Amino acid sequence: MFFGLGFSLTLYHFKKLIAAQLIAFITLAIPMISITGYAYGLDEFYGKMSLLTASTGVAFSIATLALTANIGAVKAILSPYIWWKNS
């Protein structure tokens, strides 16, 4: 997870913003699966990842996604407009 975040930040540094955002989204999925396992009491989901590591991973992933908030999927998610309507 932290390797993925580091790779995403490296891509951000080299101005590969869409790729950095994609890696950050993938990296966000890892701690979210772990938190889902904790919420439902499923040992197979969280394995050996502690709740502190999972919550830190979520915070770092969201912070990495916030760096690219002006482009791509994050811009579409944060937009107040409904882009598929033509009214």
Side-chain angles (χ1 to χ4, degrees), residues 20-62:
Q21 196 175 81
L22 177 68
I23 299 296
F25 268 121
I26 292 169
T27 306
L28 178 62
I30 297 168
M32 290 306 293
I33 291 171
S34 178
I35 288 174
T36 303
Y38 275 111
Y40 290 106
L42 302 171
D43 291 340
E44 305 86 37
F45 271 42
Y46 62 85
K48 299 203 184 271
M49 183 180 281
S50 73
L51 189 57
L52 179 63
T53 305
S55 58
T56 303
V58 168
F60 285 167
S61 295
I62 290 173

Side-chain angles (χ1 to χ4, degrees), residues 2-87:
F2 289 121
F3 176 76
L5 287 173
F7 186 59
S8 177
L9 290 173
T10 302
L11 288 170
Y12 176 77
H13 176 73
F14 288 113
K15 304 291 187 229
K16 305 291 184 189
L17 303 178
I18 298 293
Q21 196 175 81
L22 177 68
I23 299 296
F25 268 121
I26 292 169
T27 306
L28 178 62
I30 297 168
M32 290 306 293
I33 291 171
S34 178
I35 288 174
T36 303
Y38 275 111
Y40 290 106
L42 302 171
D43 291 340
E44 305 86 37
F45 271 42
Y46 62 85
K48 299 203 184 271
M49 183 180 281
S50 73
L51 189 57
L52 179 63
T53 305
S55 58
T56 303
V58 168
F60 285 167
S61 295
I62 290 173
T64 305
L65 282 170
L67 291 173
T68 59
N70 59 340
I71 58 150
V74 177
K75 183 178 180 180
I77 291 169
L78 296 175
S79 175
Y81 303 108
I82 300 173
W83 54 270
W84 61 85
K85 285 195 173 185
N86 292 330
S87 319

